[in-house]
Amino acid sequence: MLQYLPIENEVFSPSLGWYRAFGLRVLRTWEAGEMELMVLPAVSSDFGFTLRLASLLTEKQLDPLCLLALLENLY
């Protein structure tokens, strides 16, 4: 099973300076444990959006290979 989890990071932008961003951590889980597949450190500055996105991606079991294309189409 794939599990998408929101994560919090502090990132730097030359135009904005330091700010808080929320990203996604992608895990493959099974009975014996879990394996981290991917970490995207900055998806949005809106935690609520990132939390809803993580929930939807977990529910729909989106293949992580499609994640970057999905995010490009959101913005």
Side-chain angles (χ1 to χ4, degrees):
M1 177 177 165
L2 294 170
Q3 187 173 14
Y4 289 80
L5 302 170
I7 58 172
E8 182 177 358
N9 290 296
E10 197 168 315
V11 294
F12 180 80
S13 165
S15 59
L16 298 174
W18 288 99
Y19 67 97
R20 185 171 35 180
F22 301 95
L24 293 170
R25 182 174 180 225
V26 186
L27 302 175
R28 179 171 304 281
T29 60
W30 61 94
E31 290 176 16
E34 62 186 34
M35 178 175 62
E36 185 174 85
L37 300 178
M38 178 187 297
V39 174
L40 295 175
V43 171
S44 175
S45 61
D46 181 344
F47 177 71
F49 170 80
T50 309
L51 182 62
R52 289 188 303 275
L53 180 63
S55 177
L56 181 63
L57 295 173
T58 298
E59 177 185 327
K60 298 299 182 182
Q61 291 292 287
L62 180 78
D63 187 323
L65 295 175
C66 301
L67 183 57
L68 293 178
L70 172 79
L71 292 172
E72 285 179 358
N73 287 314
L74 287 176
Y75 295 102

